[in-house]
Amino acid sequence: MTISDVARNDWYPVAIENLLIEGQPETVVLMGETLTILRAADDQIKVTAADGSECPLTLRYGHVWSSIGRPEHALFDIPEAAEEGRRMVDCGPVRVKASPLRVVENFLDIAHFPFVHTDILGAEPHTEVEPYKVEIRDTVDEVWATKVRFFQPQAAKSAEEGQMTDYMYRVPAPCVSILYKTSPPRPGAWDVIGLFVRPISEELCDAYAWMALYDEDSNQTDLVQFQQMIFLQDRSILENQIPRLLPLDPKMEIPTRADTTSVAYRRWLKRKGMTYGAQLVAR
Amino acid sequence: MYGLLKLMNAGLTENDQGSDGWVPVVLSADLPVAGVMRAQIDATQPLDLVVWRSRSGQVSAFDNRCPHRGMRLSFGFVRGERLSCIYHGWQYGEDGACRHIPAHPDMTPPASIGANTYLCREYDGVIWISQNADNPPDLPTFGGQGLRSLSVNRDEADLRKLLAETCIPLSGAGETAPAEASIIAENQTSLVLESTTEAASLQLMIHFQKVTPGKTMLHIQTNPDLPVDLRISLSRWAERFRWSAENMGTMVNSWDASAGEMRP
Amino acid sequence: MIRDTQPLMMNRQTELFRFSGDVSDPDFLDWICHRANRLGLNGWVRKNAAGGFIEALASGPEELLDAMELGCSLGPITVWVETVVRCPHDSDGPMPNGFKILTQAD
């Protein structure tokens, strides 16, 4: 199929930087094309296409980002990643048999917390989703959801009871979703959890979770395993949703106010012409 | 004999399958209270359904797709008389109508929001689905006991031919050889195999569910109250039958008396 | 089949919706009508040729009017809804049941 320019000319995660071993190439597939990532003897990282040509490269947020096209923009900015005292956690890719756009949409959703992440991120009977604010910020061309609040059963290891937790969601690129969550050890600051998705095909992708947290107590393995557990719960949903592609026409669905971020995301994709991984006519 | 007369008289041969008729999807015993399962039917168009049983025992069947955001309802759970979708907890009554949307708990969902339903009926130890709500045909009566269901990678037509030539065990201890079976009654959805010797007699009722082209689910019932070891033998027979149907073309098992063993 | 009765009258609101943007595809009226019926709303939709927008009058619980706005803000692939404007509308009397497409002459 012809891949639209907007999909082709964008940045996608292809490797975790500090896992690349000198002289040992890794290969991944990005939208049907095989890319090889290699850390050379001089420590330079290069990404090459199947025909040997060099691909664009950015190293950020612990990941190697590349493209099968020619991105005209720099990779999005996450200022929190540069803040003192934060720890960065790379969780590694998880393969999902679903559209990359479905993966992003699921990451933006909170109404599923009591049912999919029961007693972790949500619990009955605290299922109500209050109205929140969603906008497409045209200056940066990103989708933002703010003033999102949801009841979390146990916000931190130290917390005994549940409490309302504040969230913000951000989509800086079609296959990237970033969640901001109030940080228990640092009230007023946000923990950042990113999901960077690499489309392998329209119905298959690798999702890399990444975090920038204020947390001095937990060990790295626990943090990674926790995030993995949450994501595997989501994967069971994602791989059993019909259709696999993300519908841009919601005729066969019933979005309600709780789905406002999802609808804004789909509108934004539609306006951009991002059709890779999308279903245009409802079935 | 168990239900045999009922069988002959119940219009067994009058069933008309295809998109208008009944399709068996599970043995009653295999769908307990609060059970939820997926059923695929290769009808005029392929159907993917969720079949579930409420706390009060009522069975229902819907399209396996939540009207909210397309999650498969067969992953859902039953609470009371409602099926909840696992994704956002939307709750559906037995009639398919949405009763509760957890994200908006104070709103009564309109009757227009609901899952697509299919006629679902429990009869004689089997749960049946029909797309034709107007004039569903009569279902066969056997009065048997559920043995097991079995998925076989073979077309239904082939399976019927192979069943006509099979041998089934009549005792659990293996003291007697399996006896040749013959089909004593047959219609569009089911057939009855009977196997008789001087010492014993057995009937199996086998109901056919076309799952996808080339794949059939057999739902098997036996005469009621058979000894456990015979039931186990019959279950093993079913597995051997499946193996030969999937691997050996049209060859069938038969008992080789002189060699004292099963021979293809 | 026995289904829930209509939502309580006291919870019903009536609003006028205006959909603007690239909304000229005639299929959009059917689409909006389908959406409103799915949500159990009463009212109508019509093209306002002079204004270049689609307008709809819908009556129902507030959450379902929100769902109407959301669904229609996406619509079929052939339209781009730039803005949705909603305002409360005092209906002259009880709305007839159902949702339909009005022609300009209605």
Side-chain angles (χ1 to χ4, degrees):
Chain A
M1 54 128 6
T2 321
I3 298 170
S4 63
D5 286 345
V6 70
R8 175 179 289 281
N9 298 327
D10 204 350
W11 296 102
Y12 298 92
V14 296
I16 293 175
E17 195 183 335
N18 64 16
L19 293 183
L20 286 173
I21 298 170
E22 187 185 299
Q24 288 187 19
E26 290 184 8
T27 58
V28 297
V29 175
L30 171 55
M31 292 188 282
E33 298 196 24
T34 303
L35 302 181
T36 304
I37 308 104
L38 177 66
R39 186 192 289 279
D42 60 357
D43 222 29
Q44 290 295 303
I45 294 173
K46 273 203 170 66
V47 180
T48 45
D51 63 3
S53 59
E54 225 173 291
C55 299
L57 177 80
T58 295
L59 303 175
R60 275 191 99 175
Y61 317 123
H63 290 73
V64 179
W65 300 75
S66 189
S67 175
I68 58 169
R70 300 253 151 247
E72 287 174 7
H73 55 280
L75 188 67
F76 53 85
D77 213 15
I78 306 178
E80 289 81 2
E83 283 171 0
E84 276 293 315
R86 283 188 185 267
R87 58 195 292 191
M88 310 294 155
V89 184
D90 312 312
C91 300
V94 178
R95 181 140 306 174
V96 185
K97 217 167 138 184
S99 160
L101 310 180
R102 277 277 198 212
V103 174
V104 169
E105 179 190 58
N106 168 264
F107 200 73
L108 300 171
D109 178 80
I110 59 172
H112 72 277
F113 286 177
F115 300 97
V116 180
H117 310 301
T118 311
D119 295 335
I120 310 169
L121 300 182
E124 292 178 275
H126 309 280
T127 58
E128 181 165 12
V129 177
E130 294 165 7
Y132 51 89
K133 185 173 176 214
V134 178
E135 54 184 335
I136 295 178
R137 293 186 183 171
D138 288 322
T139 46
V140 287
D141 193 22
E142 297 184 359
V143 183
W144 278 83
T146 54
K147 303 196 194 321
V148 183
R149 283 160 57 80
F150 202 70
F151 185 89
Q152 188 178 6
Q154 195 189 9
K157 285 206 169 77
S158 52
E160 297 219 335
E161 291 170 353
Q163 62 187 60
M164 290 303 279
T165 301
D166 293 317
Y167 297 88
M168 292 196 302
Y169 286 90
R170 171 188 175 199
V171 180
C175 292
V176 173
S177 182
I178 303 174
L179 154 65
Y180 299 81
K181 195 168 166 204
T182 46
S183 172
R186 292 233 193 158
W190 298 96
D191 278 339
V192 184
I193 302 160
L195 197 66
F196 311 143
V197 186
R198 186 186 74 253
I200 296 168
S201 73
E202 287 200 275
E203 296 186 358
L204 189 68
C205 57
D206 274 346
Y208 298 76
W210 167 90
M211 302 186 275
L213 313 170
Y214 286 115
D215 180 332
E216 286 161 12
D217 303 323
S218 312
N219 74 53
Q220 198 82 343
T221 314
D222 285 347
L223 289 172
V224 172
Q225 282 184 350
F226 179 80
Q227 180 53 39
Q228 291 263 15
M229 172 184 67
I230 300 284
F231 191 71
L232 290 176
Q233 289 171 340
D234 285 316
R235 184 170 72 174
S236 311
I237 300 289
L238 288 165
E239 295 192 338
N240 291 288
Q241 243 185 318
I242 306 158
R244 280 205 201 287
L245 300 174
L246 182 74
L248 293 187
D249 173 350
K251 187 168 184 185
M252 301 293 287
E253 299 165 299
I254 306 177
T256 68
R257 194 174 56 214
D259 303 309
T260 305
T261 317
S262 150
V263 172
Y265 172 58
R266 296 185 189 193
R267 283 189 76 235
W268 181 74
L269 292 172
K270 186 173 170 179
R271 188 175 74 177
K272 272 179 163 310
M274 178 64 178
T275 53
Y276 194 87
Q279 179 199 62
L280 305 187
V281 178
R283 253 187 292 284
Chain B
M1 278 223 88
Y2 316 97
L4 186 54
L5 290 175
K6 274 198 258 180
L7 197 81
M8 302 295 211
N9 296 332
L12 185 65
T13 54
E14 294 313 308
N15 255 337
D16 173 23
Q17 207 182 350
S19 60
D20 280 355
W22 293 103
V23 179
V25 292
V26 65
L27 296 169
S28 294
D30 290 336
L31 189 67
V33 159
V36 182
M37 55 163 266
R38 181 186 187 194
Q40 289 176 274
I41 299 173
D42 185 28
T44 30
Q45 83 232 30
L47 299 180
D48 197 319
L49 307 180
V50 57
V51 185
W52 60 283
R53 193 191 290 276
S54 71
R55 281 280 161 205
S56 68
Q58 168 98 344
V59 292
S60 310
F62 303 160
D63 265 336
N64 195 7
R65 181 175 180 172
C66 182
H68 177 210
R69 290 234 299 251
M71 179 63 193
R72 288 210 184 280
L73 288 171
S74 54
F75 287 80
F77 57 94
V78 174
R79 247 186 224 158
E81 302 304 292
R82 300 183 187 173
L83 176 68
S84 296
C85 178
I86 193 68
Y87 199 176
H88 304 93
W90 286 34
Q91 295 179 13
Y92 300 91
E94 284 141 1
D95 59 358
C98 181
R99 296 278 201 272
H100 182 67
I101 295 175
H104 309 290
D106 298 331
M107 178 187 70
T108 307
S112 51
I113 293 180
N116 211 29
T117 60
Y118 292 80
L119 207 61
C120 182
R121 233 169 105 195
E122 187 158 30
Y123 189 82
D124 202 32
V126 178
I127 295 171
W128 306 78
I129 308 279
S130 175
Q131 285 182 265
N132 176 9
D134 293 329
N135 216 4
D138 290 332
L139 289 163
T141 305
F142 179 58
Q145 185 179 8
L147 179 73
R148 64 177 292 175
S149 297
L150 199 69
S151 173
V152 189
N153 290 330
R154 197 79 195 248
D155 271 338
E156 179 183 332
D158 289 346
L159 292 175
R160 287 179 184 252
K161 286 200 198 104
L162 290 169
L163 284 167
E165 295 162 358
T166 194
C167 295
I168 51 182
L170 293 177
S171 75
E175 291 150 356
T176 51
E180 280 185 12
S182 52
I183 298 176
I184 60 166
E186 185 168 13
N187 71 355
Q188 299 278 1
T189 64
S190 322
L191 58 77
V192 181
L193 274 186
E194 184 178 71
S195 200
T196 307
T197 63
E198 286 161 9
S201 178
L202 186 75
Q203 291 169 331
L204 291 182
M205 187 160 197
I206 300 177
H207 308 281
F208 297 88
Q209 172 192 353
K210 284 189 179 64
V211 176
T212 54
K215 184 168 168 183
T216 310
M217 193 80 135
L218 303 179
H219 303 287
I220 307 172
Q221 294 174 300
T222 67
N223 308 104
D225 305 323
L226 295 182
V228 166
D229 58 349
L230 177 51
R231 284 172 57 81
I232 294 171
S233 265
L234 288 169
S235 183
R236 293 205 181 118
W237 160 82
E239 287 165 4
R240 285 197 304 275
F241 176 79
R242 168 173 61 192
W243 190 88
S244 62
E246 290 182 349
N247 293 287
M248 294 175 71
T250 51
M251 300 174 78
V252 295
N253 289 328
S254 60
W255 179 258
D256 183 333
S258 57
E261 63 184 12
M262 295 298 288
R263 278 273 173 88
Chain C
M1 262 187 319
I2 299 171
R3 292 215 167 178
D4 280 335
T5 54
Q6 289 294 315
L8 296 171
M9 287 304 291
M10 67 176 89
N11 196 20
R12 295 182 86 81
Q13 296 172 22
T14 304
E15 291 186 19
L16 195 62
F17 290 72
R18 180 181 295 188
F19 304 99
S20 309
D22 182 3
V23 295
S24 57
D25 185 9
D27 286 345
F28 195 26
L29 294 174
D30 280 320
W31 199 101
I32 293 174
C33 200
H34 176 272
R35 172 65 20 170
N37 279 314
R38 197 89 168 98
L39 297 172
L41 301 172
N42 298 328
W44 49 257
V45 61
R46 70 178 168 209
K47 182 172 164 168
N48 186 314
F53 51 80
I54 306 284
E55 60 189 0
L57 188 71
S59 177
E62 189 189 351
E63 291 94 339
L64 296 178
L65 296 177
D66 289 341
M68 172 79 163
E69 177 189 350
L70 269 184
C72 297
S73 72
L74 255 176
I77 199 67
T78 49
V79 308
W80 174 253
V81 177
E82 185 65 46
T83 53
V84 182
V85 175
R86 289 164 63 174
C87 52
H89 183 94
D90 290 323
S91 36
D92 299 324
M95 296 272 274
N97 266 359
F99 198 95
K100 56 182 183 155
I101 301 172
L102 296 181
T103 62
Q104 300 235 206
D106 284 330

